[in-house]
Amino acid sequence: MTKGQRIRARRRELGLTLEAVAIASKTSKQTIQRYENGVIENIPDARLEAMARALGTTPAYLMGWEET
């Protein structure tokens, strides 16, 4: 599973919209969508951490380094 697929799966699991994750991570919903679709591969560390907090998980999970 790619980073983007993990982000999308976790967001959907929690019932969150792109906009909700974008607001929580202080970015645009278009940027979140680009991460999910793999258009943007390199996610800045600060943004990755903010998204992980918004999604109730860890940056390591989103990166695929751990399973939980």
Side-chain angles (χ1 to χ4, degrees):
M1 189 180 282
T2 67
K3 287 181 281 194
Q5 290 170 331
R6 285 176 181 270
I7 293 167
R8 178 179 289 132
R10 184 67 180 152
R11 177 179 63 79
R12 288 181 174 172
E13 182 180 306
L14 296 173
L16 297 173
T17 63
L18 286 168
E19 188 170 3
V21 176
I23 290 169
S25 59
K26 296 184 169 72
T27 190
S28 70
K29 70 179 189 178
Q30 292 85 1
T31 298
I32 300 298
Q33 188 173 37
R34 288 181 184 121
Y35 292 150
E36 288 186 357
N37 291 330
V39 174
I40 301 174
E41 296 265 333
N42 295 322
I43 304 172
D45 291 343
R47 178 107 5 99
L48 185 66
E49 290 176 20
M51 282 193 308
R53 277 193 303 275
L55 296 170
T57 191
T58 64
Y61 171 78
L62 294 180
M63 294 298 292
W65 298 333
E66 63 182 35
E67 288 301 313
T68 58

